[in-house]
PDB file of all heavy atoms in Angstrom:
ATOM      1  N   THR T 224      96.165  42.518 131.183  1.00 97.00           N
ATOM      2  CA  THR T 224      96.400  41.469 130.194  1.00 97.00           C
ATOM      3  C   THR T 224      95.125  40.982 129.561  1.00 97.00           C
ATOM      4  O   THR T 224      95.116  40.258 128.579  1.00 97.00           O
ATOM      5  CB  THR T 224      97.128  40.272 130.836  1.00 97.00           C
ATOM      6  OG1 THR T 224      96.200  39.594 131.695  1.00 97.00           O
ATOM      7  CG2 THR T 224      98.368  40.678 131.591  1.00 97.00           C
ATOM      8  N   ASN T 225      94.006  41.390 130.201  1.00 97.00           N
ATOM      9  CA  ASN T 225      92.688  41.032 129.744  1.00 97.00           C
ATOM     10  C   ASN T 225      92.384  39.537 129.875  1.00 97.00           C
ATOM     11  O   ASN T 225      91.590  38.997 129.111  1.00 97.00           O
ATOM     12  CB  ASN T 225      92.507  41.506 128.278  1.00 97.00           C
ATOM     13  CG  ASN T 225      91.031  41.579 127.875  1.00 97.00           C
ATOM     14  OD1 ASN T 225      90.141  41.551 128.740  1.00 97.00           O
ATOM     15  ND2 ASN T 225      90.781  41.703 126.576  1.00 97.00           N
ATOM     16  N   LYS T 226      93.069  38.890 130.797  1.00 98.00           N
ATOM     17  CA  LYS T 226      92.873  37.461 130.931  1.00 98.00           C
ATOM     18  C   LYS T 226      92.705  37.024 132.388  1.00 98.00           C
ATOM     19  O   LYS T 226      93.507  37.423 133.259  1.00 98.00           O
ATOM     20  CB  LYS T 226      94.115  36.678 130.374  1.00 98.00           C
ATOM     21  CG  LYS T 226      93.833  36.165 128.962  1.00 98.00           C
ATOM     22  CD  LYS T 226      94.989  35.519 128.273  1.00 98.00           C
ATOM     23  CE  LYS T 226      95.890  34.681 129.136  1.00 98.00           C
ATOM     24  NZ  LYS T 226      96.908  33.990 128.401  1.00 98.00           N
ATOM     25  N   VAL T 227      91.665  36.228 132.623  1.00 98.00           N
ATOM     26  CA  VAL T 227      91.419  35.704 133.964  1.00 98.00           C
ATOM     27  C   VAL T 227      91.435  34.213 133.877  1.00 98.00           C
ATOM     28  O   VAL T 227      90.906  33.611 132.931  1.00 98.00           O
ATOM     29  CB  VAL T 227      90.018  36.168 134.444  1.00 98.00           C
ATOM     30  CG1 VAL T 227      89.657  35.474 135.776  1.00 98.00           C
ATOM     31  CG2 VAL T 227      89.938  37.671 134.567  1.00 98.00           C
ATOM     32  N   MET T 228      92.108  33.569 134.828  1.00 98.00           N
ATOM     33  CA  MET T 228      92.123  32.130 134.914  1.00 98.00           C
ATOM     34  C   MET T 228      91.160  31.692 136.023  1.00 98.00           C
ATOM     35  O   MET T 228      91.214  32.219 137.113  1.00 98.00           O
ATOM     36  CB  MET T 228      93.559  31.665 135.295  1.00 98.00           C
ATOM     37  CG  MET T 228      93.762  30.160 135.095  1.00 98.00           C
ATOM     38  SD  MET T 228      95.278  29.546 135.861  1.00 98.00           S
ATOM     39  CE  MET T 228      96.507  30.739 135.329  1.00 98.00           C
ATOM     40  N   ARG T 229      90.286  30.745 135.686  1.00 98.00           N
ATOM     41  CA  ARG T 229      89.364  30.228 136.657  1.00 98.00           C
ATOM     42  C   ARG T 229      89.746  28.781 136.944  1.00 98.00           C
ATOM     43  O   ARG T 229      89.789  27.962 136.050  1.00 98.00           O
ATOM     44  CB  ARG T 229      87.947  30.365 136.143  1.00 98.00           C
ATOM     45  CG  ARG T 229      86.858  30.196 137.201  1.00 98.00           C
ATOM     46  CD  ARG T 229      85.477  30.464 136.621  1.00 98.00           C
ATOM     47  NE  ARG T 229      85.234  31.901 136.406  1.00 98.00           N
ATOM     48  CZ  ARG T 229      84.772  32.739 137.370  1.00 98.00           C
ATOM     49  NH1 ARG T 229      84.552  32.306 138.595  1.00 98.00           N
ATOM     50  NH2 ARG T 229      84.551  33.991 137.067  1.00 98.00           N
ATOM     51  N   THR T 238      89.859  27.012 133.323  1.00 98.00           N
ATOM     52  CA  THR T 238      89.365  27.654 132.150  1.00 98.00           C
ATOM     53  C   THR T 238      89.875  29.089 132.083  1.00 98.00           C
ATOM     54  O   THR T 238      90.290  29.660 133.109  1.00 98.00           O
ATOM     55  CB  THR T 238      87.829  27.698 132.140  1.00 98.00           C
ATOM     56  OG1 THR T 238      87.362  28.201 133.384  1.00 98.00           O
ATOM     57  CG2 THR T 238      87.252  26.323 131.878  1.00 98.00           C
ATOM     58  N   GLU T 239      89.843  29.657 130.895  1.00 98.00           N
ATOM     59  CA  GLU T 239      90.301  31.003 130.701  1.00 98.00           C
ATOM     60  C   GLU T 239      89.121  31.868 130.248  1.00 98.00           C
ATOM     61  O   GLU T 239      88.284  31.423 129.492  1.00 98.00           O
ATOM     62  CB  GLU T 239      91.401  31.022 129.626  1.00 98.00           C
ATOM     63  CG  GLU T 239      91.957  32.397 129.303  1.00 98.00           C
ATOM     64  CD  GLU T 239      92.784  32.372 128.006  1.00 98.00           C
ATOM     65  OE1 GLU T 239      93.520  31.431 127.786  1.00 98.00           O
ATOM     66  OE2 GLU T 239      92.681  33.372 127.251  1.00 98.00           O
ATOM     67  N   GLU T 240      89.082  33.100 130.722  1.00 98.00           N
ATOM     68  CA  GLU T 240      88.007  34.022 130.303  1.00 98.00           C
ATOM     69  C   GLU T 240      88.554  35.421 130.219  1.00 98.00           C
ATOM     70  O   GLU T 240      89.538  35.771 130.874  1.00 98.00           O
ATOM     71  CB  GLU T 240      86.817  33.929 131.243  1.00 98.00           C
ATOM     72  CG  GLU T 240      87.100  34.403 132.650  1.00 98.00           C
ATOM     73  CD  GLU T 240      85.999  34.103 133.686  1.00 98.00           C
ATOM     74  OE1 GLU T 240      85.593  32.896 133.728  1.00 98.00           O
ATOM     75  OE2 GLU T 240      85.625  34.993 134.398  1.00 98.00           O
ATOM     76  N   PRO T 241      87.911  36.284 129.400  1.00 98.00           N
ATOM     77  CA  PRO T 241      88.430  37.649 129.320  1.00 98.00           C
ATOM     78  C   PRO T 241      88.078  38.405 130.588  1.00 98.00           C
ATOM     79  O   PRO T 241      87.087  38.124 131.276  1.00 98.00           O
ATOM     80  CB  PRO T 241      87.678  38.229 128.106  1.00 98.00           C
ATOM     81  CG  PRO T 241      86.461  37.376 127.932  1.00 98.00           C
ATOM     82  CD  PRO T 241      86.818  36.005 128.483  1.00 98.00           C
ATOM     83  N   LEU T 242      88.936  39.334 130.951  1.00 98.00           N
ATOM     84  CA  LEU T 242      88.656  40.198 132.097  1.00 98.00           C
ATOM     85  C   LEU T 242      87.403  41.053 131.754  1.00 98.00           C
ATOM     86  O   LEU T 242      87.258  41.515 130.616  1.00 98.00           O
ATOM     87  CB  LEU T 242      89.882  41.147 132.325  1.00 98.00           C
ATOM     88  CG  LEU T 242      89.829  42.020 133.589  1.00 98.00           C
ATOM     89  CD1 LEU T 242      90.035  41.170 134.832  1.00 98.00           C
ATOM     90  CD2 LEU T 242      90.897  43.087 133.514  1.00 98.00           C
ATOM     91  N   ASN T 243      86.536  41.251 132.762  1.00 98.00           N
ATOM     92  CA  ASN T 243      85.363  42.097 132.531  1.00 98.00           C
ATOM     93  C   ASN T 243      85.823  43.558 132.465  1.00 98.00           C
ATOM     94  O   ASN T 243      86.042  44.200 133.528  1.00 98.00           O
ATOM     95  CB  ASN T 243      84.408  41.865 133.695  1.00 98.00           C
ATOM     96  CG  ASN T 243      83.084  42.564 133.435  1.00 98.00           C
ATOM     97  OD1 ASN T 243      83.056  43.734 132.945  1.00 98.00           O
ATOM     98  ND2 ASN T 243      81.980  41.902 133.804  1.00 98.00           N
ATOM     99  N   TYR T 260      84.548  40.915 141.719  1.00 98.00           N
ATOM    100  CA  TYR T 260      84.272  39.497 141.381  1.00 98.00           C
ATOM    101  C   TYR T 260      83.773  38.734 142.597  1.00 98.00           C
ATOM    102  O   TYR T 260      82.851  37.941 142.498  1.00 98.00           O
ATOM    103  CB  TYR T 260      85.588  38.854 140.841  1.00 98.00           C
ATOM    104  CG  TYR T 260      85.794  39.038 139.342  1.00 98.00           C
ATOM    105  CD1 TYR T 260      86.480  40.188 138.873  1.00 98.00           C
ATOM    106  CD2 TYR T 260      85.334  38.132 138.407  1.00 98.00           C
ATOM    107  CE1 TYR T 260      86.712  40.360 137.522  1.00 98.00           C
ATOM    108  CE2 TYR T 260      85.577  38.313 137.057  1.00 98.00           C
ATOM    109  CZ  TYR T 260      86.252  39.423 136.601  1.00 98.00           C
ATOM    110  OH  TYR T 260      86.465  39.575 135.258  1.00 98.00           O
ATOM    111  N   GLY T 325     101.077  36.644 131.840  1.00 98.00           N
ATOM    112  CA  GLY T 325      99.927  37.019 131.036  1.00 98.00           C
ATOM    113  C   GLY T 325      98.555  36.949 131.723  1.00 98.00           C
ATOM    114  O   GLY T 325      97.541  36.927 131.133  1.00 98.00           O
ATOM    115  N   TRP T 326      98.582  36.989 133.080  1.00 98.00           N
ATOM    116  CA  TRP T 326      97.339  36.889 133.819  1.00 98.00           C
ATOM    117  C   TRP T 326      97.083  38.064 134.726  1.00 98.00           C
ATOM    118  O   TRP T 326      97.943  38.468 135.491  1.00 98.00           O
ATOM    119  CB  TRP T 326      97.364  35.601 134.674  1.00 98.00           C
ATOM    120  CG  TRP T 326      97.545  34.383 133.844  1.00 98.00           C
ATOM    121  CD1 TRP T 326      98.731  33.730 133.609  1.00 98.00           C
ATOM    122  CD2 TRP T 326      96.560  33.635 133.073  1.00 98.00           C
ATOM    123  NE1 TRP T 326      98.534  32.644 132.778  1.00 98.00           N
ATOM    124  CE2 TRP T 326      97.183  32.606 132.429  1.00 98.00           C
ATOM    125  CE3 TRP T 326      95.173  33.852 132.894  1.00 98.00           C
ATOM    126  CZ2 TRP T 326      96.494  31.696 131.608  1.00 98.00           C
ATOM    127  CZ3 TRP T 326      94.474  32.941 132.086  1.00 98.00           C
ATOM    128  CH2 TRP T 326      95.153  31.898 131.460  1.00 98.00           C
ATOM    129  N   ASP T 327      95.833  38.604 134.629  1.00 98.00           N
ATOM    130  CA  ASP T 327      95.387  39.643 135.572  1.00 98.00           C
ATOM    131  C   ASP T 327      95.011  39.037 136.893  1.00 98.00           C
ATOM    132  O   ASP T 327      95.195  39.639 137.964  1.00 98.00           O
ATOM    133  CB  ASP T 327      94.213  40.452 134.990  1.00 98.00           C
ATOM    134  CG  ASP T 327      94.575  41.344 133.879  1.00 98.00           C
ATOM    135  OD1 ASP T 327      95.597  42.026 133.974  1.00 98.00           O
ATOM    136  OD2 ASP T 327      93.868  41.416 132.859  1.00 98.00           O
ATOM    137  N   MET T 328      94.429  37.867 136.823  1.00 98.00           N
ATOM    138  CA  MET T 328      93.737  37.342 138.021  1.00 98.00           C
ATOM    139  C   MET T 328      93.561  35.837 137.922  1.00 98.00           C
ATOM    140  O   MET T 328      93.419  35.294 136.852  1.00 98.00           O
ATOM    141  CB  MET T 328      92.344  37.987 138.047  1.00 98.00           C
ATOM    142  CG  MET T 328      91.660  38.000 139.365  1.00 98.00           C
ATOM    143  SD  MET T 328      89.988  38.739 139.199  1.00 98.00           S
ATOM    144  CE  MET T 328      90.336  40.472 139.103  1.00 98.00           C
ATOM    145  N   ILE T 329      93.625  35.175 139.078  1.00 98.00           N
ATOM    146  CA  ILE T 329      93.295  33.770 139.151  1.00 98.00           C
ATOM    147  C   ILE T 329      92.147  33.599 140.174  1.00 98.00           C
ATOM    148  O   ILE T 329      92.302  34.064 141.331  1.00 98.00           O
ATOM    149  CB  ILE T 329      94.441  32.844 139.581  1.00 98.00           C
ATOM    150  CG1 ILE T 329      95.694  33.146 138.728  1.00 98.00           C
ATOM    151  CG2 ILE T 329      94.065  31.366 139.488  1.00 98.00           C
ATOM    152  CD1 ILE T 329      96.936  32.363 139.204  1.00 98.00           C
ATOM    153  N   ILE T 330      91.056  32.997 139.797  1.00 98.00           N
ATOM    154  CA  ILE T 330      89.947  32.761 140.729  1.00 98.00           C
ATOM    155  C   ILE T 330      89.918  31.261 141.010  1.00 98.00           C
ATOM    156  O   ILE T 330      89.651  30.424 140.170  1.00 98.00           O
ATOM    157  CB  ILE T 330      88.632  33.211 140.117  1.00 98.00           C
ATOM    158  CG1 ILE T 330      88.681  34.689 139.731  1.00 98.00           C
ATOM    159  CG2 ILE T 330      87.457  32.984 141.129  1.00 98.00           C
ATOM    160  CD1 ILE T 330      87.464  35.186 138.960  1.00 98.00           C
TER     161      ILE T 330
END
Side-chain angles (χ1 to χ4, degrees):
Chain T
T224 69
N225 200 13
K226 260 175 38 172
V227 174
M228 192 193 314
R229 195 174 285 276
T238 50
E239 179 193 321
E240 63 191 50
L242 187 71
N243 186 320
Y260 274 88
W326 302 97
D327 287 318
M328 200 182 284
I329 309 175
I330 303 173

